[in-house]
Each structure stands twice: as structure tokens, then as C-alpha cells.
């Protein structure tokens, strides 16, 4: 009996929502797992080399620099930045990754520098200052507990003044501060009288700590009524200067910032075009803070910023850009051009997907499985016409590549690479491939090559939420056409009810027709996919 896919490969019974989706901060925290799962292809080795070149340039010139880590969802931007972060931190495992040794050797000087790396997950931030400055303070607290933080928040100045007054006149200070004790201050059970120990503890806490916030509220309500902006961060220029100077005092040669989900964060605020323009324009300031000028800031260390960018923000606008003669698109386009002039770009190729899938999903369980796979590939090659079709696409795949990605075909992976830019991050190409394997784990045998049409259910049907308004309409139109027209026609042609169709074997006539229809719909969704370019309704 021919072995099943589950007997040939190690395939999970269920692929969960978090599988194959890595968040930057989690990837750094779980360093061993992150490194063990990472596959360094030739193009990725080049990307790491470019990133380390960028750090070397900033350190040698003494100026702040930045680069976009550009790649569609599924190309591994977060995973790339997590591994780069670990390399710069000095992780022996990350620096020993196969495929990186030439670049590691080339950049010994950079890797000998003392760098403070800070990771940012932008989703949920109220402003870029809020994300950058609070993230820096938390990173310093973890790396240097007890070290006095830099002044980056306007309340820092207030608290410095308050502590000075407390030392000069403690009796009058506490009499005034605790004068609000009989009034509901909005803090509920947290409210209470202040003494020297509680004031010192609250003043030393990070921005956002409840007791610090309560102290600031009480101070501005009593003795420091002039501090109306005490709840605000410093502006970007002043805050970044404070970060650089503070990190230099701690002995660092440079700051390396990793900003993940930046474009998605801005895209989530598209209804507020002013927010997008204001916050987007701040990104350029990351590389405008050169350190060659005059004054204390000019003597500080450089900042190197790596910004993940899975899509251009303008693409999220879709048809909304037609409003006001396209003024919205033009404004945001100007913001992005402002970035482009100041940031380099490091591209992560989706075409690496076959190599990564081979390492992470398609390793044979044993020698018998490896022989079975080899025999299955040889059998398919004997049908020359079918084999040529399966090799079609932009991957320039040959015999070795076909064997590497089996039971997937280059044609399927080509289609998946074209679909990747349309999908949300939870629908990465690697995850979809794992879902296809899991679905066929016990029902497909090693001689079965996974059909391209099987992509439809996982990419289009099962809750896919495309990135742009235009794509959402396109996917919804495909679903509507399939459900109201195509499927009904097929059910009628084969004399089946909807429930009966669900029980059809995958090789039944209805299942084959259904799969062909879904393949045709995929071809309409990705007309630039060479592997599907020859398909027509006829």
C-alpha cells in the first residue's frame, strides 16, 4: 500500500492561528526557537549583508541611517528582523547560522560594537513618539535596572521640579500635595495621601505607571498648575536626541531600532488622513537626526532604524483615493516619497518560499519515505506534457526544484507567491502550505500532487481578509460568483444536493469539476501568475 502524506512527512493534525506567524518581540524573547526555525537562503544571506552594511555605515560616519525591510506577507520580515536583532545582540546561535558565515566574518568590526537594540510592535500605539520613547524606556529598564532614565516626557520635568521642592520644603510640599485628599480624584482605591517614599517610588516609575500618573495629576492640580502639557511626550527631534545621549552615557556605540507593523498601524487609521500624514511624516526624522552637528546632540551616537514594510500605504486606499480628486492619495504619496528619499530598501524575496518550505515542512520522515518521494517524482516526470505544466511560473523551476517542493508543484507555489501580497499576515504562504498538507495528511498518498485549485478554500473561502478595499471587493465577487452560480450549476449537473456534495471523494467527477472551477477563479484573481496564464473558461 502506498504511504500517505502523513507517513512520508511530519505533518500536524491541526494548523493553529499562531503557526508560522512570528511577532518581532516574541521572536527575540524565544531566541533558540527563532534561530532553529530560520532558513538562510542565498538571497537572505545577501539581505543580512546589506543590513549589516547599513549598521557599519552609520557607525563609521557617525550619522543616523535607516532601511525598509520590504517583502510581502509570508516573506518573513518579522523573522528576518528578529534574527538580525539577535545577531547584533551577540547571540552565538544566530551568528552560527548556516549560510551567514561569510557575512558574519566580513562584519566583525560591526559585531564587536556595543549596540542597544529595541523592538517595536506598532499596533495599538497612540503616536510614533508613544511607541518609540516608551519602548526605549522599557528596554533600558530591562537591560539596566535602576539606571536613571532620560527626560523624554514632559512630566519628567515636572517630577524633577517636584522632587527638588520636596527636598527644600517637605512640610509645605506635602501639605499642598495632600490637600486633594478629601476630594474624589478619579483614582478610586488607588488614591491616598502621599509621603516621601511613595513620591520617590512614583517619580521613579516609567511613563504609564498608574502611581506615576496619579502623582502627576495631583501635582498639576495643586502646586504645578502651569504644567498643562505634563501628559505629553517630547517632540520627535528632542526625544530622539535624548535617547542617543542617554544610550551613549550607558556606553553604547549605537542604537538599532526595529519597527514592525508600521504600515499596518498607519493603515488602521486611514479614516483619519491627518493622523496618517502627521505620524507618517515623523518616520523621516529617524534619519534626519544626524550626529555631526553642534551641541550635546551632535556628539551623541547614531540611530539605525529598520522598518518592516509589507505594502505601500497608498495601496490600502483603493477607491477611497478618488475622493476630493485623489487629494488623499497625493498627500499620503508625498509622505511615502519623503521616506523613500531617506531610507534604503532591503528586499526579501517571496521566491525563497520553496527552499524555506522544504526545510520546515517537507523533510522526509525516514529513508523509506525519501525513496517513495523520489519514485513519485520520477513517475510524474514520465508524463512530459503534465510535467511541463507543473513546472510553469516565474520560479524558473527545474527538476531539482520540483523534487524540493514535492508534493507541491512549482505552478502551485508560483500562484501562492502571487497571492501572498494580497493576504493579511495571518495568512502567510508557509501557513497555507502547512494547511494543505494537514488537510491531506491521512487522505492523500505520496503519488498525489496537491492541486492548485485547493488553494482557493484556504485563501479565498475561509475568512480571508484581503488588505485593500479593492481586493476585498474582488475576493467577495469571486465568492459570490462561486456560491450563487458555479457551485449551483455543478450540483445540478451532477445531480447532487449541497450536503451530498460534501461527502464526495476528492477524485469524484463533481470534486474534479469543482476544483477546476476554483482554479479558474484563482486565475482571475491573480492574472499576472504565469502558471495560470493559459487558463480560460473554455
Amino acid at each position: 500500500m502506498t504511504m500517505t502524506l502523513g507517513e512520508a512527512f511530519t505533518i500536524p493534525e491541526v494548523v493553529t492561528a499562531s503557526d508560522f506567524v512570528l511577532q518581532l518581540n516574541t521572536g527575540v524573547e524565544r531566541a533558540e526557537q527563532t534561530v532553529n526555525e530560520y532558513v538562510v537562503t542565498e538571497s537572505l544571506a545577501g539581505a543580512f549583508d546589506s543590513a549589516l552594511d547599513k549598521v557599519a555605515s552609520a557607525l563609521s560616519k557617525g550619522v543616523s541611517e535607516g532601511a525598509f525591510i520590504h517583502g510581502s506577507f509570508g516573506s518573513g520580515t518579522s523573522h528576518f528582523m528578529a534574527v538580525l536583532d539577535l545577531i547584533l545582540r551577540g547571540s552565538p546561535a544566530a551568528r552560527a547560522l548556516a549560510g551567514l558565515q561569510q557575512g558574519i566574518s566580513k562584519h566583525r568590526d560591526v559585531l564587536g560594537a556595543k549596540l542597544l537594540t529595541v523592538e517595536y510592535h506598532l499596533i495599538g500605539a497612540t503616536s510614533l513618539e508613544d511607541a518609540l520613547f516608551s519602548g526605549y524606556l522599557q528596554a533600558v529598564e530591562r537591560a539596566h535596572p535602576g539606571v536613571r532614565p532620560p527626560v523624554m516626557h514632559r512630566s519628567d520635568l515636572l517630577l524633577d521640579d517636584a522632587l527638588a521642592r520636596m527636598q527644600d520644603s517637605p512640610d509645605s510640599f506635602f501639605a499642598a500635595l495632600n490637600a486633594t485628599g478629601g476630594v474624589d480624584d478619579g483614582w478610586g482605591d488607588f488614591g491616598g495621601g502621599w509621603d516621601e517614599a511613595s513620591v520617590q517610588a512614583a517619580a521613579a516609575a516609567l511613563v504609564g505607571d498608574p502611581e506615576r500618573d496619579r502623582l502627576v495629576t495631583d501635582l498639576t492640580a495643586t502646586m504645578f498648575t502651569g504644567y498643562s502639557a505634563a501628559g505629553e511626550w517630547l517632540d520627535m527631534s528632542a526625544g530622539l536626541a535624548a535617547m542617543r545621549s542617554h544610550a551613549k552615557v550607558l556606553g553604547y556605540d549605537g542604537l538599532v531600532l526595529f519597527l514592525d507593523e508600521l504600515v499596518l498601524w498607519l493603515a488602521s487609521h486611514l479614516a483619519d488622513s491627518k493622523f496618517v500624514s502627521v505620524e507618517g511624516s515623523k518616520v523621516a526624522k529617524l534619519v534626519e537626526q544626524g550626529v555631526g552637528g553642534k551641541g550635546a546632540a551632535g556628539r551623541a551616537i547614531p540611530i539605525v532604524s529598520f522598518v518592516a514594510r509589507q505594502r505601500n500605504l497608498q495601496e490600502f486606499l483603493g477607491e477611497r483615493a478618488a475622493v476630493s480628486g485623489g487629494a488623499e492619495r497625493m498627500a499620503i504619496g508625498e509622505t511615502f516619497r519623503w521616506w523613500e528619499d531617506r531610507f534604503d530598501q532591503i528586499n526579501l524575496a517571496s521566491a525563497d518560499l520553496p527552499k524555506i518550505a522544504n526545510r520546515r515542512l517537507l523533510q522526509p520522515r525516514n529513508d523509506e519515505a525519501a525513496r517513495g518521494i523520489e519514485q513519485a517524482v520520477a513517475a510524474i516526470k514520465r508524463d512530459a506534457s503534465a510535467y511541463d505544466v507543473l513546472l510553469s511560473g516565474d520560479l524558473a523551476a527545474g527538476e531539482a526544484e520540483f523534487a524540493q517542493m514535492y508534493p507541491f508543484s512549482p505552478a502551485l507555489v508560483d500562484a501562492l507567491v502571487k497571492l501572498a501580497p494580497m493576504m493579511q499576515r495571518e495568512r502567510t504562504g508557509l501557513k497555507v502550505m502547512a494547511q494543505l498538507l494537514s488537510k491531506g495528511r491521512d487522505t492523500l498518498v505520496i503519488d498525489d500532487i496537491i492541486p492548485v485549485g485547493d488553494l482557493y478554500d484556504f485563501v479565498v473561502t475561509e475568512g480571508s481578509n484581503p488588505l485593500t478595499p479593492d481586493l476585498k471587493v474582488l475576493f467577495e465577487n469571486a465568492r459570490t460568483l462561486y456560491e450563487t452560480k458555479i457551485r449551483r450549476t455543478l450540483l445540478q449537473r451532477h445531480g447532487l444536493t449541497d450536503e451530498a456534495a460534501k461527502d464526495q471523494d476528492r477524485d469524484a467527477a463533481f470534486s474534479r469539476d469543482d476544483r477546476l472551477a476554483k482554479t479558474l477563479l484563482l486565475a482571475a484573481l491573480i492574472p499576472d501568475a504565469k502558471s495560470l496564464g493559459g487558463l480560460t473558461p473554455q
Side-chain angles (χ1 to χ4, degrees), residues 462-475:
E462 296 188 0
S464 181
N465 184 26
L467 291 170
T468 72
D470 292 352
L471 288 175
K472 289 177 182 178
V473 171
L474 189 64
F475 272 52

Side-chain angles (χ1 to χ4, degrees), residues 161-384:
D161 285 349
L163 291 175
R165 184 176 298 188
M166 181 180 71
Q167 295 301 322
D168 290 343
S169 307
D171 292 339
S172 61
F173 175 83
F174 286 108
L177 180 60
N178 290 318
T180 60
V183 180
D184 182 2
D185 58 7
W187 292 95
D189 292 339
F190 286 102
W194 292 99
D195 56 26
E196 183 173 354
S198 60
V199 167
Q200 292 280 10
L206 293 179
V207 176
D209 180 88
E211 281 295 277
R212 176 188 170 115
D213 290 345
R214 183 170 74 90
L215 177 58
V216 168
T217 298
D218 286 353
L219 288 169
T220 54
T222 54
M223 294 171 283
F224 296 89
T225 56
Y227 277 88
S228 58
E232 299 175 3
W233 294 99
L234 300 182
D235 63 41
M236 279 288 288
S237 298
L240 290 172
M243 282 171 56
R244 295 199 313 272
S245 297
H246 185 261
K248 182 177 182 180
V249 170
L250 293 177
Y252 290 100
D253 301 308
L255 270 170
V256 184
L257 313 183
F258 294 93
L259 284 76
D260 205 6
E261 310 287 23
L262 174 63
V263 173
L264 280 183
W265 173 62
L266 291 174
S268 68
H269 291 86
L270 280 178
D272 185 352
S273 58
K274 181 179 179 181
F275 179 92
V276 175
S277 294
V278 170
E279 296 302 320
S281 66
K282 295 174 184 176
V283 178
K285 294 187 177 183
L286 290 168
V287 293
E288 289 176 350
Q289 301 299 314
V291 296
K294 299 178 181 180
R299 296 191 297 272
I301 61 177
I303 295 175
V304 186
S305 301
F306 293 105
V307 181
R309 189 182 65 176
Q310 291 87 351
R311 286 182 76 90
N312 192 313
L313 186 59
Q314 294 145 292
E315 296 177 28
F316 285 92
L317 292 173
E319 295 301 323
R320 295 179 65 246
V323 178
S324 303
E328 189 174 13
R329 179 184 289 274
M330 290 178 64
I332 294 176
E334 285 300 318
T335 296
F336 261 65
R337 277 187 287 275
W338 189 252
W339 293 14
E340 294 288 356
D341 291 343
R342 290 156 176 77
F343 280 73
D344 288 336
Q345 183 165 299
I346 298 171
N347 292 309
L348 305 186
S350 295
D352 281 339
L353 182 60
K355 297 175 184 177
I356 296 171
N358 175 265
R359 282 277 303 275
R360 295 192 62 182
L361 299 175
L362 300 174
Q363 291 297 302
R365 280 183 176 272
N366 48 45
D367 291 342
E368 182 184 0
R371 287 192 296 271
I373 295 167
E374 185 178 346
Q375 292 167 3
V377 170
I380 291 171
K381 285 172 58 182
R382 285 194 287 269
D383 185 346

Side-chain angles (χ1 to χ4, degrees), residues 404-416:
Q404 186 180 58
M405 65 185 79
Y406 191 84
F408 299 101
S409 67
L412 182 146
V413 177
D414 177 66
L416 188 53

Side-chain angles (χ1 to χ4, degrees), residues 85 91 135 181 317 484-485:
D85 191 333
S91 163
L317 292 173
T484 62
K485 300 288 186 181

